[in-house]
Amino acid sequence: GSCRHRCCPGRNNACWAPGARRAHCYCDSYCQRTGDCCQDYLATCRRAAVGCAVGPWGPWSGCSSPCGVGSRARSRQVTVPPQHGGDPCPDLKQRRGCLGQHPTCGTAK
């Protein structure tokens, strides 16, 4: 079978071509895990693969708690989404602990 006219990202059972002995061979990126790719899959489809690209991390947010234990977060955006079975996107959000130390913390009112 040949992937000449069709390459699909991810797992897609509808992305196949007629193979040897009436069996299907597949042209989705999942076929590499299952071992049932059409013989020209790598040459035809992987060439078109585009891995995910992301922008820089944004700034950390302020601490969620003005006094005591809280958390900060930051994020980044996808600049190029993965296509045709390219590498998936890495984490887009990060969180870390912080200790709020506002000047009024610990003062009695």
Side-chain angles (χ1 to χ4, degrees):
S2 175
C3 295
R4 195 170 48 238
H5 302 291
R6 187 173 193 179
C7 296
C8 307
R11 185 175 192 165
N12 185 343
N13 289 335
C15 191
W16 60 273
R21 290 182 244 141
R22 295 184 150 174
H24 292 173
C25 64
Y26 291 86
C27 300
D28 60 352
S29 57
Y30 196 76
C31 74
Q32 291 186 301
R33 290 186 184 171
T34 55
D36 54 2
C37 297
C38 293
Q39 62 190 55
D40 66 346
Y41 172 77
L42 286 177
T44 304
C45 298
R46 292 301 290 177
R47 186 176 340 134
V50 175
C52 182
V54 294
W57 287 107
W60 287 101
S61 68
C63 192
S64 63
S65 174
C67 299
V69 178
S71 64
R72 296 177 182 268
R74 69 178 182 171
S75 63
R76 58 185 173 181
Q77 301 295 318
V78 173
T79 56
V80 178
Q83 297 176 352
H84 310 295
D87 292 333
C89 295
D91 288 340
L92 299 176
K93 294 183 179 182
Q94 286 184 333
R95 186 172 297 277
R96 71 177 182 192
C98 60
L99 187 59
Q101 296 177 336
H102 191 271
T104 60
C105 295
T107 61
K109 291 190 176 185

